[in-house]
Amino acid sequence: MHEQSLVRTLLKQVDAIRREHGADQIREVRVEVGPLSGVEPLLLESAFDQLAAGTFADGATLAIDEVTLQAECRSCRQQFEVDAFDFRCPDCGGHVRILRGDELMLVSVSVACHEHAKISS
Amino acid sequence: MTDCTKTINVRRDVALEAKADAEAERRRLARRGTLVVNLLSSPGAGKTTLLEATARRLTPRHSMAALVGDLETDRDAQRLSPLVPAAQLTTGGACHLELPLVRRGLEALGDPQVDFLFIENVGNLVCPASHDLAEHLRVVLVSTTEGDDKPGKYPKMFRTSQAMLITKLDLLPHVPFCVEAVQADARRIQPELDILEVCAIQDTGISAWCDYLCQLRSERLAAYQELA
Ligand SMILES: Nc1nc2c(ncn2[C@@H]2O[C@H](COP(=O)(O)OP(=O)(O)OP(=O)(O)O)[C@@H](O)[C@H]2O)c(=O)[nH]1
Ligand SMILES: [Mg+2]
Ligand SMILES: [Zn+2]
C-alpha cells in the first residue's frame, strides 16, 4: 500500500525528468533504499512493474541499490556504519545524525535516445 | 541510426516535496501558536484513553483539538467529543494517516486556533513512522501488555520519535514487562528520547505529561518565531 503510493510519486518525478530531456522511453530507473527507508525492495519492485505497465515506463527495469545506514556523530564528527540500529557513537557515545539509508532516493533515470538526434544535457 | 541509452543523474530524495510541504504546514501552525502532537502506537496501547485524560487536565488552562485516525468507525471521535473538538479521520483501509487527511480534518473543525492539536494515528508501529503529518512532536506509546521488546522490532518508529510513553502502568504487577529493558532498547535506537510513564485510567503521570507538553510547546514555538 505504502510502496504503491511511493511508486506513484516516483513515476511522476521520472516523467518530469523524461520530458525535460525530450525522451520517450525509459529503460531503467535506479533508486537507493536503506534500512530506515520504510521500503521493502521486493514490494517496491512489484509495485513498480504493476504501475509502470501501459505507461511511458512500461518495460523499464527498476534497479534497487540497497545501502547500509551511515551516520555522523554530532560531537566528535566520527562517521560510521550503524550496526543493528544502535545509534550511539562507537567512539564517544554522542548523538548522531543519519547521513544515508533513511530515505528512498532517486539516483538516476536511463532513457532511450537515438544517435542522430543527440540530446544535450 | 543506432539505439543508445542515456543516463541522467538525479540523486534526489523522492519524498523531498512532501517533506517541504509538511515543513511549511508545521511552520504555519507554529506561528499561530499551535503545537501539533502525533501519537503513535500499536492498536489498543491507550492513545484515546491518554487523550481523554490529557483533555481533562489541559483544557482548563489550554485549548486543544483532536484528530483521530482509524480504518473504520467514529468511535474514538465519539469518546473525545464531549471533552474537546474532535474529528474522525477514517482511512477506509489505509494503515496510516497522511497530511492531506489531516488537512481535511482541520478543515472539518474549522481550522481551530488551539494551543494543542493532537493527532491520534492509526494503531500501527510500521507505516505511520514514514509519514510526516506536520507535527512538532512525535510520541510513541508502548503499553505494558504488549511486551518490552518492541523498540528493537520497529526501529524506524522509535528512531523518529522524540518521546516515548510507557502506558498501562497499573498492569505492571500482572505482566512480564521490564521498564528498564524497554528504556534501554529504545535509547539505543534514539538516545535523545524523552521517556515518561503513565497510567491514564488512574490519572498517574498525566500531570507530568502535561507539564512536558507545555514546556515543549514554549520551546518549539519560540524556535519557529526566531525563524520568522
Ligand atoms: N488497565 C489499563 N487499561 C487501559 C489504560 N489505558 C487504556 N486502557 C484500556 O486499553 C484499551 C485500549 O485503549 P484505547 O485508549 O482505546 O487504545 P488506542 O490506542 O486508542 O486504540 P486504537 O485507537 O484502537 O489503536 C481500552 O480497553 C482501555 O480501557 C490504562 O492505563 N490501564
Ligand atoms: Mg484510539
Ligand atoms: Zn562521537
Side-chain angles (χ1 to χ4, degrees), chain B:
Chain B
M1 183 179 100
T2 41
D3 260 353
C4 68
T5 300
K6 187 174 104 118
T7 298
I8 304 152
N9 288 315
V10 186
R11 252 211 115 65
R12 190 178 60 200
D13 181 359
V14 173
L16 201 66
E17 280 160 41
K19 282 178 183 170
D21 186 28
E23 187 53 38
E25 187 68 33
R26 191 166 17 253
R27 186 169 299 200
R28 179 184 82 87
L29 289 160
R31 291 221 175 118
R32 60 170 226 197
T34 301
L35 185 88
V36 183
V37 184
N38 188 0
L39 294 178
L40 309 108
S41 79
S42 55
K47 299 178 293 297
T48 310
T49 310
L50 175 75
L51 281 178
E52 289 168 320
T54 306
R56 281 187 209 106
R57 177 76 55 153
L58 273 182
T59 46
R61 282 180 300 123
H62 294 279
S63 54
M64 68 174 261
L67 302 176
V68 285
D70 277 300
L71 272 65
E72 288 298 340
T73 81
D74 63 351
R75 288 175 191 164
D76 282 0
Q78 294 281 1
R79 281 168 65 186
L80 292 167
S81 290
L83 299 163
V84 291
Q88 185 78 42
L89 311 175
T90 41
T91 64
C95 56
H96 59 273
L97 294 178
E98 294 191 20
L99 191 52
L101 262 177
V102 168
R103 287 198 168 116
R104 197 184 303 164
L106 267 176
E107 227 177 83
L109 290 180
D111 201 16
Q113 196 127 11
V114 286
D115 298 339
F116 294 95
L117 174 71
F118 290 92
I119 304 170
E120 176 183 334
N121 220 306
V122 177
N124 175 356
L125 285 174
V126 190
C127 304
S130 296
H131 295 275
D132 190 339
L133 303 182
E135 72 264 29
H136 304 97
L137 177 66
R138 181 176 285 198
V139 183
V140 58
L141 282 66
V142 182
S143 60
T144 54
T145 49
E146 66 196 86
D148 52 25
D149 61 348
K150 292 300 167 284
K153 288 186 177 180
Y154 303 95
K156 183 160 189 167
M157 179 60 73
F158 289 83
R159 177 68 203 175
T160 59
S161 293
Q162 285 100 59
M164 174 171 85
L165 250 59
I166 303 172
T167 65
K168 307 192 188 180
L169 268 196
D170 56 312
L171 299 178
L172 212 44
H174 312 287
V175 289
F177 183 94
C178 174
V179 173
E180 290 73 29
V182 82
Q183 286 176 337
D185 200 28
R187 284 230 164 93
R188 182 174 61 82
I189 298 164
Q190 181 46 280
E192 294 167 84
L193 206 59
D194 297 318
I195 302 179
L196 291 97
E197 297 168 21
V198 298
C199 172
I201 55 166
Q202 293 174 352
D203 213 39
T204 319
I206 299 301
S207 109
W209 154 244
C210 290
D211 288 348
Y212 172 74
L213 288 172
C214 290
Q215 160 107 27
L216 230 124
R217 177 170 179 270
S218 316
E219 282 173 20
R220 292 287 153 97
L221 299 196
Y224 275 92
Q225 298 308 330
E226 272 168 35
L227 281 176

Side-chain angles (χ1 to χ4, degrees), chain A residues 12-31:
Chain A
K12 251 186 234 158
Q13 293 173 7
V14 170
D15 191 24
I17 291 161
R18 169 186 78 103
R19 284 165 195 273
E20 217 174 280
H21 288 261
D24 296 326
Q25 216 193 328
I26 304 288
R27 295 234 160 107
E28 184 194 81
V29 175
R30 182 167 289 273
V31 295

